[in-house]
Amino acid sequence: MQISDRLKSIQPSLTLAVNSKALELRSKGIDIISLAVGEPDFPTPKHICEAAKKAIDDNFCRYTQVPGIPELRKAAGDYFSRQHKVPVAAEAVIIGAGGKHCIYNFLQAYLNHGDEVLIPSPYWLSYPDMVQLAGGVPIFVKAGADQNFKVNCEMLERAVSAKTKLLIMNCPSNPTGAVYTQAEFAKIMDWALERGLFVLSDEIYEQLVYTDFPAPSALPWFAKKPEQVAILNGVSKSFAMTGWRIGFLCAHPDLIKKISAMQGHSTSSICSIAQKAALAALTGPMDCVLEMRQAFQRRRDLAYAKVSSWPGIVCPKPDGAFYIFCDVHTVYGDSVHNSTELCTYLLDHAHVAVVPGAAFGDDACIRFSYAVADEVLERALTAVGHELAALQKK
Ligand SMILES: Cc1ncc(COP(=O)(O)O)c(C=O)c1O
């Protein structure tokens, strides 16, 4: 059967193997705990669901404007600008079917064939495939656990070539939870823009930070050089709305117009009801976001205390998102040789599903999500710790 050349290099997600094994064990009646999920376990806040119900009752069920309803584009612009007091016009915002869709469309609109894209590694697993689908070439810049999984300008500089066009920053990071300080982030942004690179800043976890300083944002640089910066945000993680599929991208209005033209030939407008729900999220009370953040911080503390007590396992303290990414290579040996085998082993022996670091570009590591109830997290990590200790002794 013919498959397009574009899709030949695209691989199914490495997480699928662990997921299908977890499902198989569950179907045999085994109680599997999943710490593999990338979404909040909280329900979408009530006032947001009410807005969606009202949209249906009002028959707000037709196509909308392709880049989003004007009031949501404005609200997203205000949401982007609220922390930095930099105004973002509605024309500089497009609404997409989730943050992933916004990034995909941005890459399609910006990259030319052969353009190189710097991707700090470990990375969110969709970036490389999305870059390749847009004709680009991912260039990974690796930072290990000993560097708190953070890159710096010197590391980036070594990876630059005449073909480099774009740098993708993701802070707080999936999978590592790393948060750059304002100073670290500023240095990288200044370097990239002076180098003539474009920066896509994926800030989807921006509300989920546990430091006493806010997550850095590329917005001040967008204000200075709008033709070189795009920023991604959305409601999936901050408002527990992963299934509603609403994300938003801030970029130069000319680029937004092109992305909108492309979107007009693919998804067309985004779900009208979900847009009304997202509008309620962005313009409504924010205490729900604070409550979820506090719960995640409590679980981060619980998970980090456990993981950092495991001998031979290296885990920089994650400051954001809801993941723990730890270096477990000291347990590799005759029983398990790599992160994928380790995840299968943990599923079989601890009955806990976690994601192999190989999916994120670091085979020495595995990723746990702590977006589960405290007692479930406690039970799962106790079982994993026990199995890792047993492997160390083998
Ligand atoms: C780093 C990062 N960016 C973007 C997204 C996309 O979020 P969504 O498409 O669910 O809005 C995710 C989701 O897992 C993510 O982890």
Side-chain angles (χ1 to χ4, degrees):
M1 195 189 139
Q2 175 165 321
I3 304 283
S4 76
D5 291 343
R6 280 185 320 285
L7 291 200
K8 282 191 181 137
S9 65
I10 301 301
Q11 293 301 321
S13 158
L14 253 184
T15 55
L16 289 182
V18 178
N19 273 344
S20 61
K21 176 105 194 173
L23 289 177
E24 187 194 315
L25 293 175
R26 270 194 187 139
S27 72
K28 290 182 184 155
I30 300 172
D31 180 19
I32 299 292
I33 299 176
S34 179
L35 301 186
V37 287
E39 58 183 347
D41 55 321
F42 301 105
T44 301
K46 244 194 159 69
H47 68 281
I48 300 174
C49 298
E50 290 304 330
K53 288 182 197 162
K54 183 169 182 321
I56 296 173
D57 290 342
D58 293 348
N59 194 33
F60 191 72
C61 298
R62 309 268 183 237
Y63 293 135
T64 73
Q65 295 87 339
V66 170
I69 54 175
E71 56 272 42
L72 181 57
R73 291 177 80 193
K74 180 181 179 317
D78 293 346
Y79 185 72
F80 275 118
S81 58
R82 75 197 185 289
Q83 232 179 56
H84 299 275
K85 313 283 177 268
V86 175
V88 175
E91 299 72 50
V93 174
I94 186 163
I95 310 300
K100 189 178 271 187
H101 183 224
C102 293
I103 297 176
Y104 183 91
N105 282 356
F106 161 77
L107 292 169
Q108 292 289 334
Y110 180 70
L111 288 179
N112 280 315
H113 190 77
D115 284 351
E116 290 183 358
V117 179
L118 299 183
I119 304 181
S121 168
Y123 48 77
W124 179 44
L125 51 82
S126 290
Y127 296 142
D129 289 306
M130 290 201 280
V131 164
Q132 280 174 307
L133 281 168
V137 181
I139 304 290
F140 302 110
V141 182
K142 184 151 183 192
D146 54 332
Q147 287 154 310
N148 284 345
F149 299 120
K150 294 189 210 177
V151 297
N152 58 38
C153 300
E154 292 70 40
M155 293 157 77
L156 291 166
E157 180 67 42
R158 284 197 288 275
V160 168
S161 82
K163 292 185 185 159
T164 313
K165 291 289 155 56
L166 173 69
L167 162 67
I168 301 182
M169 290 298 287
N170 172 216
C171 172
S173 153
N174 175 7
T176 68
V179 177
Y180 288 81
T181 64
Q182 303 287 340
E184 288 166 341
F185 191 80
K187 269 192 196 156
I188 293 176
M189 288 301 300
D190 288 343
W191 168 84
L193 298 196
E194 271 161 32
R195 255 302 202 158
L197 304 182
F198 196 111
V199 180
L200 168 66
S201 182
D202 179 346
E203 302 178 4
I204 196 117
Y205 292 97
E206 164 249 336
Q207 292 278 4
L208 300 177
V209 273
Y210 319 117
T211 47
D212 42 20
F213 56 87
S217 169
L219 196 64
W221 287 269
F222 174 73
K224 281 184 264 175
K225 296 204 167 166
E227 64 296 327
Q228 268 178 270
V229 179
I231 308 170
L232 185 274
N233 211 320
V235 292
S236 299
K237 316 288 179 175
S238 309
F239 295 90
M241 291 178 70
T242 46
W244 298 79
R245 310 310 301 132
I246 295 285
F248 20 90
L249 184 85
C250 160
H252 191 288
D254 291 349
L255 189 57
I256 294 292
K257 270 193 209 129
K258 277 291 169 202
I259 295 175
S260 177
M262 200 181 85
Q263 194 156 291
H265 292 297
S266 52
T267 46
S268 205
S269 59
I270 306 306
C271 170
S272 56
I273 298 152
Q275 288 193 69
K276 283 287 188 182
L279 182 62
L282 298 189
T283 55
M286 293 294 278
D287 36 341
C288 53
V289 176
L290 180 66
E291 279 163 28
M292 290 189 268
R293 182 193 308 143
Q294 284 167 344
F296 283 132
Q297 180 159 5
R298 191 182 64 240
R299 294 166 181 179
R300 189 279 309 257
D301 291 344
L302 188 162
Y304 179 68
K306 274 219 165 268
V307 173
S308 50
S309 73
W310 295 342
I313 309 298
V314 180
C315 181
K317 190 173 189 178
D319 283 324
F322 37 69
Y323 309 105
I324 292 236
F325 200 64
C326 50
D327 187 326
V328 289
H329 80 275
T330 52
V331 309
Y332 298 168
D334 292 341
S335 307
V336 297
H337 301 91
N338 54 45
S339 63
T340 308
E341 286 180 21
L342 177 60
C343 290
T344 307
Y345 184 94
L346 291 175
L347 202 49
D348 281 333
H349 294 78
H351 297 160
V352 176
V354 299
V355 186
F360 310 100
D362 193 340
D363 199 29
C365 297
I366 52 176
R367 189 195 77 174
F368 305 93
S369 160
Y370 50 86
V372 293
D374 299 31
E375 61 283 4
V376 177
L377 186 60
E378 170 90 43
R379 192 152 45 93
L381 291 179
T382 302
V384 170
H386 182 76
E387 291 306 329
L388 292 178
L391 278 174
Q392 299 267 24
K393 289 190 195 122
K394 278 194 183 172

